[in-house]
Amino acid sequence: MTTYDCDVLVVGGGIVGLSTAYALTQASPGTRVLVLEKESGPARHQTGRNSGVIHSGIYYKPGSLKARFAVRGAEEMVEFCARHGIAHEVTGKLIVATERAELPRLHALVQRGRENGIPVRELGPAQIAAYEPEVRGLAAIHVSTTGVCDYGAVAARLAELSGADVRYGAEVVRIDRRPELGVAVRTADGTVLRARALVNCAGLHCDRVARLAGDDPGVRIVPFRGEYYELARPGLVKGLVYPVPDPAFPFLGVHLTRGVDGSVHVGPNAVPAAAREGYDWRTVRPAELAGTLGWPGTWRIARRHWRYGAGELHRSWSKRAFTEAVRRLLPAVTEADLRPAPAGVRAQAVLRDGTLVDDFLIRESARTIHVLNAPSPAATASLPIGREVASRVLQTLPRP
């Protein structure tokens, strides 16, 4: 008879993996959950390297997982932070059109927000100045439900509340899955752990973990680095200010975010990274870069969107160009106002044909569930995502 170390083994100690662990123990008390995280603590990558925004859900296609989970998750995240004493604030945000060509897209966002059940208010130039005196634009919308929080603190609290056995410094290097028995995982130090089911929440490495489990994820994670600056004069910005996004891309453009500590972050741009954890241009991992370049979808993205990519690269290499992008929204900003801040990397799933996966992607196979696309707004939506994944696990979890 097989002896199991746990009922469910979760790979990945970011906010999605820890939310899943929490949801499992809440929904089914007594379920033994083990979380393996290769870093020395939680939330070291996407969760802990973003602007901390609690997204409203206005950008996402009505009915999609992103729309449903972001709208629900934003409300739940505010409640969770309040209940557990985690720094947060509901600030609202402006989405500002600075050119006439952006006005139809801005109006489309108003309609999308209303379809998603989000309160939005349309503003003219004078009303923009009432919210943000230094911001200039032709028109804007105000989204009242957007906020900010400390997602690293949220992840740490979820780890505590889950009651799971969370092991840090435990990198998964091999997975042996036998549908009739369960899943065995070997970590880098040689430890072997057996579980009835496995959940893959490995973020930047989720496609690799899926392949270790013997599954073809059908996507490749293509890492995009988001580079940030911090505003030396944070008084220029009162809350959150965004440009009108290009609907062809899942990126929101260079925006201004006042965090819970009062600092204002500016960014990010989106440039290809030469490593899954490539937080600067110096970080190159040849095997990971070869994997990215060997994926047909990577080249199809490049051919299809080279003009957009060239602009992002230019802003990465030229602080002056980055400043000019910011000045479209905030004319008073100067190069001297922008101080380099830590970068993040977005784990963007890309199909073989070059399509950027636009929604959260969760796939099931024998004894295994893979979360294969969970970039922004996954932190906002992490509580509903965790419940969704937990529900799928519990429906199929073999019982002794």
Side-chain angles (χ1 to χ4, degrees):
M1 183 176 178
T2 302
T3 301
Y4 297 99
D5 298 284
C6 61
D7 296 309
V8 182
L9 190 152
V10 179
V11 181
I15 198 168
V16 172
L18 294 169
S19 176
T20 298
Y22 172 69
L24 281 165
T25 57
Q26 291 291 299
S28 180
T31 300
R32 296 176 300 156
V33 181
L34 173 61
V35 179
L36 298 181
E37 167 55 49
K38 71 181 180 66
E39 303 296 350
S40 59
R44 296 300 170 86
H45 294 291
Q46 290 187 105
T47 302
R49 286 177 168 266
N50 61 53
S51 53
V53 174
I54 302 174
H55 289 282
S56 65
I58 191 171
Y59 300 111
Y60 313 116
K61 182 179 178 181
S64 66
L65 290 179
K66 278 189 177 182
R68 291 190 288 116
F69 288 178
V71 172
R72 189 183 315 154
E75 182 178 353
E76 292 181 9
M77 186 58 65
V78 171
E79 292 174 355
F80 184 92
C81 290
R83 187 163 64 249
H84 297 286
I86 295 170
H88 71 289
E89 185 178 358
V90 180
T91 58
K93 79 172 175 185
L94 297 184
I95 304 173
V96 182
T98 58
E99 300 176 359
R100 290 196 175 278
E102 296 173 335
L103 293 175
R105 282 188 272 146
L106 186 71
H107 295 317
L109 275 180
V110 171
Q111 181 61 33
R112 176 161 286 191
R114 289 171 178 161
E115 289 178 22
N116 286 336
I118 299 163
V120 295
R121 181 185 175 207
E122 298 181 74
L123 308 177
Q127 294 165 307
I128 293 172
Y131 283 101
E132 293 284 353
E134 298 294 336
V135 170
R136 298 292 179 268
L138 300 177
I141 56 178
H142 181 257
V143 187
S144 61
T145 53
T146 304
V148 288
C149 73
D150 181 347
Y151 283 122
V154 172
R157 186 65 177 138
L158 286 168
E160 295 172 1
L161 293 171
S162 71
D165 179 2
V166 183
R167 301 188 188 181
Y168 299 112
E171 181 178 4
V172 173
V173 296
R174 182 173 177 181
I175 299 173
D176 181 15
R177 183 180 58 190
R178 299 183 183 181
E180 70 281 4
L181 294 176
V183 182
V185 167
R186 183 186 298 275
T187 60
D189 66 1
T191 302
V192 175
L193 300 161
R194 292 176 173 82
R196 299 181 186 281
L198 179 143
V199 176
N200 169 15
C201 296
L204 287 159
H205 301 277
C206 63
D207 56 339
R208 180 181 65 83
V209 170
R211 290 192 296 274
L212 284 177
D215 291 321
D216 177 6
V219 298
R220 181 67 52 89
I221 293 298
V222 175
F224 287 90
R225 182 171 58 257
E227 296 163 334
Y228 290 90
Y229 287 91
E230 186 173 334
L231 202 58
R233 292 190 288 161
L236 291 174
V237 178
K238 293 184 177 296
L240 309 181
V241 184
Y242 282 66
V244 180
D246 185 333
F249 300 95
F251 314 114
L252 299 180
V254 173
H255 49 270
L256 305 153
T257 307
R258 176 175 286 274
V260 291
D261 62 355
S263 65
V264 174
H265 278 76
V266 185
N269 58 356
V271 296
R276 299 284 178 113
E277 297 162 18
Y279 295 113
D280 54 50
W281 284 109
R282 297 183 301 275
T283 304
V284 179
R285 294 182 180 167
E288 293 180 2
L289 179 58
T292 297
L293 296 178
W295 183 243
T298 301
W299 295 101
R300 288 170 178 149
I301 292 172
R303 284 195 298 269
R304 197 175 299 155
H305 303 300
W306 68 269
R307 290 183 187 275
Y308 181 93
E312 294 292 300
L313 288 169
H314 183 46
R315 285 186 286 276
S316 175
W317 295 332
S318 169
K319 187 177 181 182
R320 177 177 294 180
F322 191 100
T323 304
E324 286 304 312
V326 180
R327 283 174 57 83
R328 291 178 55 203
L329 291 169
L330 192 67
V333 78
T334 67
E335 284 189 57
D337 289 323
L338 300 180
R339 300 171 178 168
V345 176
R346 178 190 180 98
Q348 177 62 52
V350 178
L351 299 177
R352 183 174 289 274
D353 67 1
T355 301
L356 300 169
V357 178
D358 190 45
D359 205 358
F360 297 140
L361 180 60
I362 304 169
R363 287 186 173 161
E364 302 176 42
S365 60
R367 302 264 187 166
T368 308
I369 292 182
H370 303 289
V371 181
L372 294 171
N373 195 59
S376 179
T380 299
S382 55
L383 293 172
I385 293 173
R387 287 198 303 274
E388 174 69 19
V389 174
S391 175
R392 297 191 192 195
V393 174
L394 293 172
Q395 286 175 18
T396 59
L397 185 64
R399 293 296 180 182

